[in-house]
Amino acid sequence: MPTQATQIPAGPETPYLLLDVRKLDANIRRMKAHLAPLKVTLRPHVKTNKSIPVASRFFDTAAKPITVSTLHEADFFFQHGFTDILYGVAIVPNKFGHVRELLLAGADLKLILDNTQTARLLLDFALLHRLPLKVLLEIDSDGHRSGLPPCAPEIEEIVKLLKGSPVDIVGVMTHAGNSYNSRSMAEIERYADQERDAVVASADMLRALGAHVRMVSVGSTPTALFSKDLKGVTEVRAGVFAFFDLVMAGLGVCGLNDIALSVATTVIGHQKEKGWIITDAGWMALSRDRGTASQKVDQGYGVVCNMQGEPIDDLIVVAANQEHGIISSRSGGPVNLLPVGTPLRILPNHACSTAAQYGGYHLLHGEDEGAAYWPRINGWA
Amino acid sequence: MPTQATQIPAGPETPYLLLDVRKLDANIRRMKAHLAPLKVTLRPHVKTNKSIPVASRFFDTAAKPITVSTLHEADFFFQHGFTDILYGVAIVPNKFGHVRELLLAGADLKLILDNTQTARLLLDFALLHRLPLKVLLEIDSDGHRSGLPPCAPEIEEIVKLLKGSPVDIVGVMTHAGNSYNSRSMAEIERYADQERDAVVASADMLRALGAHVRMVSVGSTPTALFSKDLKGVTEVRAGVFAFFDLVMAGLGVCGLNDIALSVATTVIGHQKEKGWIITDAGWMALSRDRGTASQKVDQGYGVVCNMQGEPIDDLIVVAANQEHGIISSRSGGPVNLLPVGTPLRILPNHACSTAAQYGGYHLLHGEDEGAAYWPRINGWA
């Protein structure tokens, strides 16, 4: 067992976030290798990493198209040389001023919308400021969230409203979020087809209505990795694939060993009679995300590994307080009560929510392992 | 209805965090009024607010005793004049160096521990550096987390180990975390008695063993507010009472109208057939905390209010994606599809987790309403 208190490495105070750069790079290579024969651009979603050094690993080209989930991300990445940005949440008036600033500064920012009301508000703004805007119509391909139904009559209404205006409909986009709830690979593949069909048909409708469609955008990690035919699609957005997490492993999209992100923690005590190990990584460190709760195997608040990243027995974080994690065995079997001071790593349910609890990443297996820290941003301003 | 898009106030981009300073002050007054006749000191837990201006509202005295959940909080508050600090998570070796820095800088930092192994590690450190340390023994009053059983034989072992050493056992502490799961006021009162009895008996045991006990510390918002007799207790720790939240309202500890914290969001679209209103406050803005899921009334990801803080019909956030909230009626009844641009406020399940998603508070009803922003810290370093 390498998990003895006497072997604590000199390192940051726990809890902290660890990123295995070798796994990160391998995950990115896998996605690129899958997409290359499908002839689509990868426009990674940076909402998972929110970090310049991480996002830079996606690209070996001058063009660095990205998707962002907040205008704060748009600011941050634009300031660091990422100019081709798709903001993936429908725009509203209190953000119009911010959009204008980004555009005037030179960002090639694309917005999305899914209704005539927003189109009208945006049109008024564009006319008032004589501001050319690029928008994509959001299509709902699986009923999980926002978006217009594929080929909805309202699309025609919006096209007519915006025709000849400064608001240019450059394409369509969708996100097959329901693929996260798939129960089989076959189901993921069906979602991938459905996602493609929804935007390709809507793009055709737009073209028939006279719009100059340049972007046909799909994306979710499961559908992106298991799509077989993306004819008519121009780009794929996905984010979590670079880190992976227990939800993706539970789906069968990756293995536990592919997960690049973990939370480093320390044993701080025990409840011997209960077979509990108490750590200093509670839900603040792991996030409240319980994404595996609805999967075949519920991993609690995370899978417990030694510092080499190897799972220890069937230990999981069975419960969490704000700054306390409670580790026990998933099966209810006996627990090896690792001594106080033992360093551990926890694989998280959901990379996006866990990473957001931190200001940056400590690195494993990077060029500068141990020394380097990759900062990230959080929040909306 | 004041929730029309045309009446959007000039304000920050959504989502953002709103703190009603009038409610904050009233909640603090209520706790102080309850504790005054019980003759105990309030040592508020700043883990909920992590903000100097908020924490300052607790005190009109020179002494400003606080509880922190991380050493990062200890640093931050100490730098701002809070010297009397109890760190409420059991200490481990990778934090010893940090503790020493704080003590050498002049902080009156108290640590906690709940086992002989930690006591021995801490003793070695104190001896090595000739560093006087104050510790409290953590007592487990309700089986929910860490701590020694009340009057556990191991207490004697620890006292003997530390006797005459630089590690001074100054008292005992406990946290009745299970009170959050109470089903009645009577049950909360029983937890309060149980919490008190656990530490008072353990403090007596310590005194009998020759320890100079100065602190007998209890605390959780429900037990603090409904304790009737705290004889033998010297101080109460509690944090969430200053903001309150839906979990506390579900317990009956406060009313919805007492909740000082909310998330400001905007309607960005709809799914008309489903009766869904889509907003820009997803789980990143609200946190993944679903604390009311196990209560009598499940409030989803939060109760939907207008900008005056009044609940709208029985609307709740029924589901959440990273940056999208889905609002619908709790009853499944018809939903008034508020137009795009409508500003809303969401009351959160859990103030600690929701506030942690933000860098600070925008103010309502403060001296500087609208203008002022109270920053907070997050993370561990």
Side-chain angles (χ1 to χ4, degrees):
Chain A
M1 288 289 294
T3 51
Q4 293 303 312
T6 48
Q7 290 166 278
I8 294 170
E13 289 167 43
T14 49
Y16 61 91
L17 196 60
L18 265 173
L19 179 61
D20 186 320
V21 181
R22 245 172 8 209
K23 291 183 181 179
L24 167 71
D25 288 343
N27 294 338
I28 293 172
R29 275 197 306 275
R30 176 181 162 197
M31 179 63 89
K32 286 182 155 182
H34 177 76
L35 295 182
L38 299 172
K39 310 274 183 224
V40 290
T41 301
L42 175 62
R43 180 188 290 281
H45 210 315
V46 297
K47 76 183 177 115
T48 309
N49 64 72
K50 303 198 188 200
S51 168
I52 303 302
V54 177
S56 301
R57 310 287 286 194
F58 292 109
F59 303 104
D60 47 18
T61 50
K64 294 181 283 183
I66 57 170
T67 315
V68 299
S69 70
T70 66
L71 290 181
H72 186 39
E73 290 164 43
D75 282 341
F76 179 65
F77 283 92
F78 176 64
Q79 284 157 14
H80 288 85
F82 295 77
T83 53
D84 178 359
I85 301 171
L86 170 58
Y87 172 42
V89 180
I91 194 71
V92 277
N94 72 54
K95 300 184 180 91
F96 286 175
H98 194 164
V99 164
R100 181 166 175 255
E101 282 170 26
L102 275 161
L103 292 169
L104 294 179
D108 181 14
L109 180 67
K110 272 77 70 172
L111 307 176
I112 69 168
L113 58 85
D114 72 353
N115 64 79
T116 312
Q117 221 181 335
T118 303
R120 192 166 289 125
L121 291 163
L122 197 60
L123 176 59
D124 288 349
F125 183 80
L127 291 171
L128 180 67
H129 293 281
R130 301 167 190 271
L131 187 69
L133 292 169
K134 293 180 186 171
V135 298
L136 289 84
L137 300 189
E138 184 178 5
I139 305 298
D140 176 17
S141 56
D142 63 0
H144 88 287
R145 189 168 77 192
S146 42
L148 288 155
C151 305
E154 197 171 343
I155 293 176
E156 185 168 358
E157 209 180 310
I158 296 170
V159 170
K160 282 186 176 161
L161 178 72
L162 300 179
K163 197 160 243 175
S165 85
V167 184
D168 183 10
I169 301 176
V170 299
V172 286
M173 59 84 76
T174 193
H175 166 61
N178 261 356
S179 67
Y180 282 44
N181 306 316
S182 297
R183 292 272 155 180
S184 67
M185 282 301 135
E187 197 177 341
I188 293 177
E189 288 174 23
R190 278 198 302 277
Y191 273 120
D193 289 349
Q194 185 177 312
E195 191 180 33
R196 175 203 60 212
D197 292 346
V199 282
V200 168
S202 301
D204 286 345
M205 178 181 175
L206 277 179
R207 288 190 191 98
L209 291 164
H212 178 207
V213 172
R214 285 148 280 171
M215 292 171 70
V216 181
S217 178
V218 298
S220 82
T221 282
T223 56
L225 283 170
F226 292 90
S227 53
K228 290 188 164 160
D229 173 3
L230 290 176
K231 191 155 182 291
V233 169
T234 67
E235 65 170 37
V236 165
R237 308 177 326 280
V240 85
F241 73 90
F243 290 170
F244 283 131
D245 53 30
L246 293 174
V247 167
M248 288 298 128
L251 273 173
V253 163
C254 68
L256 279 189
N257 197 41
D258 297 320
I259 300 175
L261 197 74
S262 59
V263 171
T265 184
T266 308
V267 174
I268 66 171
H270 308 91
Q271 292 286 2
K272 289 171 198 165
E273 294 70 22
K274 294 175 180 163
W276 285 1
I277 299 166
I278 316 280
T279 74
D280 62 3
W283 56 252
M284 193 65 90
L286 300 168
S287 96
R288 267 290 194 198
D289 203 298
R290 288 282 290 102
T292 58
S294 55
Q295 292 190 326
K296 277 169 270 183
V297 179
D298 182 347
Q299 305 281 24
Y301 281 92
V303 167
V304 179
C305 298
N306 61 26
M307 289 306 281
Q308 283 63 52
E310 300 149 354
I312 302 176
D313 305 328
D314 71 338
L315 297 185
I316 61 169
V317 182
V318 294
N321 281 211
Q322 185 158 338
E323 297 291 343
H324 295 77
I326 298 177
I327 290 174
S328 199
S329 82
R330 190 172 38 228
S331 59
V335 173
N336 173 12
L337 294 174
L338 308 165
V340 166
T342 304
L344 297 170
R345 281 167 57 189
I346 313 293
L347 302 179
N349 277 303
H350 189 169
C352 303
S353 49
T354 300
Q357 302 299 100
Y358 296 85
Y361 308 89
H362 291 270
L363 305 186
L364 267 178
H365 302 132
E367 298 87 19
D368 324 289
E369 170 167 349
Y373 176 81
W374 287 355
R376 54 168 283 144
I377 58 160
N378 289 303
W380 297 266
Chain B
M1 286 289 295
T3 50
Q4 293 302 313
T6 48
Q7 289 166 280
I8 294 172
E13 290 168 42
T14 49
Y16 62 91
L17 196 59
L18 265 173
L19 179 61
D20 187 319
V21 181
R22 250 179 355 215
K23 291 183 181 180
L24 168 70
D25 288 344
N27 294 338
I28 293 173
R29 275 198 306 275
R30 175 180 163 200
M31 179 63 88
K32 286 181 156 182
H34 177 75
L35 295 182
L38 298 173
K39 311 277 185 220
V40 290
T41 301
L42 175 62
R43 180 187 290 281
H45 210 316
V46 297
K47 75 183 179 115
T48 310
N49 63 74
K50 304 198 188 200
S51 168
I52 303 301
V54 177
S56 301
R57 311 289 284 194
F58 292 108
F59 303 104
D60 46 19
T61 50
K64 294 182 282 182
I66 57 170
T67 314
V68 299
S69 70
T70 66
L71 290 181
H72 187 40
E73 290 164 44
D75 282 340
F76 179 65
F77 283 92
F78 175 64
Q79 284 156 16
H80 289 84
F82 296 76
T83 54
D84 179 358
I85 302 171
L86 170 59
Y87 172 42
V89 180
I91 194 70
V92 276
N94 72 55
K95 300 184 179 91
F96 286 175
H98 194 162
V99 165
R100 181 166 174 253
E101 282 169 26
L102 276 160
L103 291 170
L104 293 180
D108 181 14
L109 180 67
K110 271 78 70 174
L111 307 176
I112 70 168
L113 59 85
D114 72 352
N115 63 79
T116 312
Q117 220 181 336
T118 304
R120 193 165 289 127
L121 292 164
L122 198 59
L123 176 59
D124 289 348
F125 184 78
L127 290 171
L128 181 68
H129 293 282
R130 298 167 192 271
L131 187 69
L133 292 168
K134 293 179 186 171
V135 298
L136 288 84
L137 299 190
E138 183 178 7
I139 305 298
D140 176 18
S141 56
D142 63 1
H144 89 288
R145 190 169 76 192
S146 42
L148 287 155
C151 304
E154 198 171 343
I155 292 177
E156 186 170 355
E157 207 180 313
I158 297 171
V159 171
K160 282 187 178 162
L161 178 71
L162 299 180
K163 198 160 241 174
S165 86
V167 184
D168 183 10
I169 302 175
V170 301
V172 286
M173 60 85 75
T174 193
H175 166 61
N178 261 356
S179 67
Y180 282 43
N181 306 317
S182 298
R183 292 273 153 178
S184 67
M185 281 302 136
E187 198 178 342
I188 292 177
E189 288 175 22
R190 277 198 302 277
Y191 273 120
D193 289 348
Q194 184 177 313
E195 192 180 31
R196 175 203 61 212
D197 293 347
V199 281
V200 169
S202 301
D204 287 344
M205 179 182 174
L206 277 180
R207 288 188 191 100
L209 291 165
H212 179 207
V213 173
R214 285 146 281 171
M215 294 173 68
V216 181
S217 178
V218 298
S220 83
T221 283
T223 55
L225 283 170
F226 291 90
S227 53
K228 288 187 164 159
D229 174 3
L230 290 177
K231 191 155 180 291
V233 168
T234 65
E235 66 170 36
V236 165
R237 308 176 327 278
V240 85
F241 73 91
F243 290 171
F244 281 133
D245 52 31
L246 292 174
V247 166
M248 289 297 129
L251 274 173
V253 162
C254 68
L256 280 189
N257 197 42
D258 297 319
I259 299 175
L261 196 75
S262 59
V263 171
T265 184
T266 307
V267 174
I268 66 171
H270 308 92
Q271 292 288 3
K272 288 171 197 163
E273 293 70 23
K274 295 174 180 165
W276 286 359
I277 298 166
I278 316 279
T279 74
D280 61 3
W283 55 252
M284 193 65 90
L286 300 168
S287 94
R288 267 289 192 199
D289 203 298
R290 288 281 292 100
T292 58
S294 54
Q295 292 190 325
K296 277 169 268 183
V297 179
D298 183 346
Q299 305 281 24
Y301 281 92
V303 166
V304 179
C305 299
N306 61 25
M307 288 306 280
Q308 283 64 51
E310 299 149 355
I312 303 177
D313 305 329
D314 70 338
L315 296 185
I316 61 170
V317 181
V318 294
N321 281 211
Q322 184 158 338
E323 297 291 342
H324 295 77
I326 300 177
I327 289 173
S328 199
S329 80
R330 189 171 38 227
S331 61
V335 173
N336 172 11
L337 294 174
L338 308 164
V340 167
T342 304
L344 297 170
R345 281 167 57 189
I346 314 293
L347 301 179
N349 277 305
H350 188 169
C352 303
S353 48
T354 300
Q357 302 300 100
Y358 296 86
Y361 308 89
H362 292 270
L363 305 186
L364 268 177
H365 302 132
E367 298 86 19
D368 325 288
E369 171 167 349
Y373 175 80
W374 286 356
R376 53 168 284 144
I377 59 159
N378 289 304
W380 296 266

